[in-house]
């Protein structure tokens, strides 16, 4: 008998018809003798609608109340699912985040799971229940408040539960049938990867592939949870997210990701003196704004230009903060551009290979796509380009590394 945690995303439970489809799948797995914990997202579009309502109610919705509101999306879906499941004869029981004792810190809207006291779930499993848990929400044990985990957070609920319960596998059911070489909704010839390593998946998720939420991958890696990403709408095998030593097909580049949610800020003519970067970035970080790619040009006549990216949602605020410091330190001007995209190639194999960056830059150059910024780590290269080139850039890079092909060059051959 296996203990399985399954998570179904918003599209998968987007209508009562689809909830019935999911309940039938769950029933089949339970009847095959497995213990099941089912984590659900809100029905597709519901979380967006709740946020929209909050913005109509208030210009600056109170974060605590916003979490109270957003958590209702998952409350609806677990209740509806459990009603359907019980009608199908399952011994199903729903639990909200606080009832499942999913304990978090107090960061409303992006709370981190600190601990899960899983006794109640275990007892229910032991008495033959299918336990249906609301994703995306938790309880700040100090204040007793409802918290939410950030967009896409039901993935994290599922993987954290799988870790706490030492489940045999965590199955993430979604609207695509696995992790692809790039977003299959953008590039039709993207290829499904049978396996992907935790590290590659971490990079892909952080660079824009929303198929798994980044914190869920962090938990999976930390606690060795085997994650199977697969389709709600077929029984095909999906993608296993596993440790690198289990990966059979090792490629120099295994995926391309894109992120349109960043904006670029350039401070021109910054005096090239110790402490200046600290002065520029301190107010930005104190405002809780996460800075991503940073480039500083080499100094000319004692002055330099500093360029960096921030999330698009923080762009206006960051511009105000930076403009103020720029004036204080005597910089020439501050320029901004919200219409950018970050295109990244990811692959553990690139650690040992030269020529990967050149291949990337050549592919972009052939299409006349100007690279505004470059950022690298051991297993990824990111280029910031104009947003209008996003789709083209992703497609040409996907082709340049032969990612659509079944038998693409092994990492050893790509030089
Ligand atoms: P869910 O609602 O089930 O959580 P999401 O919309 O959060 O689903 O994630 C699934 C989506 O992720 C897919 O529809 C696809 O467009 C997108 N996606 C982006 N990059 C990839 C990738 N490399 N592989 C698969 N899907 C991807
Ligand atoms: N309902 C939440 C969201 O839309 C959480 C999730 O779906 O994972 O972000
Ligand atoms: Mg998701």
């Amino acid at each position: 008998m296996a203990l399985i945690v399954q998570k179904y995303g918003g599209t998968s439970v987007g209508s009562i018809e689809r909830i019935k489809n999911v309940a039938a799948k769950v029933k089949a797995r339970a009847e095959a003798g497995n213990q099941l914990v089912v984590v659900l997202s809100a029905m597709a579009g519901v979380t967006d609608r709740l946020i929209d309502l909050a913005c109509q109610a208030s210009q600056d919705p109170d974060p605590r109340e916003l979490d109270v509101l957003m958590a209702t999306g998952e409350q609806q879906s677990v209740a509806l699912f459990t009603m359907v499941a019980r009608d199908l004869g399952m011994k199903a029981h729903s639990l909200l985040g606080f009832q499942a004792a999913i304990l978090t810190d107090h960061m409303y809207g992006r709370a981190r799971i600190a601990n899960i006291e899983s006794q109640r779930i275990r007892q229910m499993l032991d008495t033959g229940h299918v336990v249906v848990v609301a994703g995306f929400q938790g309880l700040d044990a100090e204040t007793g408040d409802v918290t939410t985990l950030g967009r896409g957070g039901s993935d994290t609920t599922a993987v954290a539960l799988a870790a706490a319960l030492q489940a045999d596998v965590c199955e993430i059911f979604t609207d695509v049938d696995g992790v692809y070489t790039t977003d299959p909704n953008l590039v039709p010839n993207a290829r499904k990867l049978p396996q992907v390593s935790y590290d590659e998946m971490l990079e892909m998720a952080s660079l824009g592939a929303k198929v798994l939420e980044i914190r869920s991958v962090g938990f999976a890696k930390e606690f060795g949870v085997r994650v199977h990403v697969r389709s709600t709408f077929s029984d095909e095998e999906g993608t296993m997210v596993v440790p690198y030593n289990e990966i059979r097909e090792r490629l120099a580049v295994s995926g391309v990701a894109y992120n349109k949610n960043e904006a670029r800020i350039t401070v021109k003519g910054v005096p090239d003196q110790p402490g200046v970067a600290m002065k520029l970035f301190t107010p930005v970080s104190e405002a809780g704004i996460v800075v991503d790619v940073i480039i500083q040009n080499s100094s000319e006549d004692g002055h330099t230009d500093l360029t960096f990216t921030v999330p698009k949602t923080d762009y206006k605020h960051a511009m105000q903060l930076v403009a103020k410091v720029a004036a204080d330190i005597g910089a020439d001007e501050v320029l901004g551009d919200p219409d950018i995209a970050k295109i990244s190639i990811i692959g553990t194999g690139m650690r040992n290979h030269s020529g990967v960056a050149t291949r990337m830059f050549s592919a972009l150059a052939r299409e006349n796509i100007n690279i505004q910024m470059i950022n690298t780590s051991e297993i990824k290269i990111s280029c910031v380009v104009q947003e209008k080139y996003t789709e083209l850039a992703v497609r040409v890079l996907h082709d340049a590394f032969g990612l659509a092909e079944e038998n693409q060059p092994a990492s050893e051959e790509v030089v």
Side-chain angles (χ1 to χ4, degrees):
M1 181 173 59
L3 169 51
I4 302 170
V5 176
Q6 296 189 331
K7 175 257 171 177
Y8 293 90
T11 318
S12 308
V13 295
S15 66
I16 297 296
E17 221 37 60
R18 289 190 169 176
I19 288 178
K20 286 183 177 169
N21 167 51
V22 169
K25 282 174 88 86
V26 170
K27 186 172 186 216
R29 294 294 284 280
E31 284 177 349
N34 300 298
Q35 289 189 314
L36 281 167
V37 175
V38 178
V39 175
L40 300 181
S41 289
M43 295 165 83
V46 167
T47 309
D48 288 339
R49 233 170 4 253
L50 292 170
I51 294 171
D52 186 49
L53 282 175
C55 293
Q56 289 179 43
S58 161
Q59 273 195 345
D60 186 18
D62 179 74
R64 178 184 183 277
E65 302 312 322
L66 190 57
D67 272 5
V68 173
L69 181 71
M70 283 203 290
T72 62
E74 274 69 12
Q75 178 160 353
Q76 290 174 13
S77 53
V78 291
L80 291 168
F81 175 87
T82 308
M83 290 173 197
V84 171
R86 293 179 74 87
D87 282 359
L88 288 178
M90 275 181 269
K91 215 170 146 186
H93 195 97
S94 68
L95 293 177
L96 299 180
F98 80 92
Q99 294 169 314
I102 296 173
L103 307 180
T104 72
D105 64 14
H106 59 278
M107 295 295 286
Y108 302 117
R110 51 190 161 114
R112 285 173 187 274
I113 297 178
N115 189 20
I116 299 182
E117 290 171 3
S118 56
Q119 304 88 316
R120 183 165 179 187
I121 297 180
R122 280 185 191 286
Q123 278 164 9
M124 297 189 72
L125 289 171
D126 289 344
T127 50
H129 286 87
V130 169
V131 185
V132 186
V133 180
F136 178 57
Q137 54 178 261
L139 168 74
D140 172 2
E142 253 173 52
T143 58
D145 282 349
V146 173
T147 51
T148 66
L149 310 180
R151 299 307 304 267
S154 299
D155 295 339
T156 307
T157 305
V159 176
L161 276 171
L165 295 164
Q166 295 180 305
D168 295 285
V169 64
C170 180
E171 296 182 320
I172 303 288
F173 285 91
T174 182
D175 56 5
V176 286
D177 57 4
V179 178
Y180 278 68
T181 46
T182 192
D183 186 345
N185 288 321
L186 193 76
V187 179
N189 70 355
R191 186 172 67 100
K192 184 166 81 184
L193 296 163
Q195 296 177 307
V196 63
S197 69
Y198 291 128
D199 287 335
E200 282 169 330
M201 196 62 238
L202 270 176
E203 288 285 3
M204 282 194 200
S206 79
L207 295 168
K210 67 170 184 166
V211 62
L212 278 181
E213 203 266 336
I214 181 164
R215 283 190 193 157
S216 71
V217 190
F219 270 119
K221 181 177 178 190
E222 187 178 347
F223 297 101
V225 177
R226 301 184 75 76
V227 177
H228 186 180
V229 180
R230 55 192 311 191
S231 168
T232 307
F233 306 104
S234 86
D235 287 329
E236 246 180 76
E237 285 287 300
T239 301
M240 290 302 304
V241 189
V242 293
Y244 182 63
N245 58 16
E246 292 182 28
I247 299 283
R248 290 186 295 272
E249 187 192 28
R250 296 186 174 176
L251 306 167
V253 173
S254 47
V256 182
Y258 64 95
N259 181 357
K260 295 186 190 180
N261 297 325
E262 289 184 22
R264 182 169 57 83
I265 297 177
T266 300
V267 191
K268 293 191 83 88
V270 178
D272 192 12
Q273 290 158 6
V276 165
M278 185 257 306
K279 283 188 189 140
L280 267 173
F281 288 116
T282 300
V284 178
S285 64
E286 279 175 353
I289 298 172
V290 179
V291 173
D292 185 22
V293 187
I294 304 176
I295 287 183
Q296 183 180 324
N297 295 3
S298 57
S299 164
E300 251 177 58
D301 307 331
H303 287 80
T304 178
D305 298 341
L306 240 166
T307 304
F308 58 95
T309 64
V310 295
K312 227 173 234 178
T313 43
D314 294 323
Y315 172 61
K316 279 197 186 138
H317 189 190
M319 280 292 277
Q320 284 164 0
L321 295 169
V322 171
K324 190 170 174 309
V325 186
D328 291 348
I329 60 176
D332 289 345
E333 61 177 335
V334 181
L335 305 173
D337 183 359
D339 299 320
I340 58 157
K342 189 174 65 178
I343 317 292
S344 309
I345 57 172
I346 299 115
T348 325
M350 76 173 74
R351 274 196 187 114
N352 320 314
H353 293 88
S354 57
V356 176
T358 312
R359 189 180 286 217
M360 181 179 196
F361 304 152
S362 313
L364 295 175
R366 275 196 298 278
E367 297 296 331
N368 241 339
I369 300 174
N370 188 36
I371 301 171
Q372 301 181 357
M373 304 170 84
I374 301 169
N375 191 22
T376 64
S377 79
E378 261 198 321
I379 66 166
K380 72 116 196 281
I381 306 171
S382 300
C383 292
V384 171
V385 302
Q386 262 187 293
E387 186 176 350
K388 67 178 181 189
Y389 292 126
T390 307
E391 202 176 327
L392 177 63
V394 171
R395 254 194 296 113
V396 299
L397 291 174
H398 195 259
D399 285 348
F401 289 96
L403 293 178
E405 293 143 33
E406 201 58 64
N407 296 311
Q408 52 188 303
S411 61
E412 286 73 23
E413 293 162 30
V414 178
V415 286

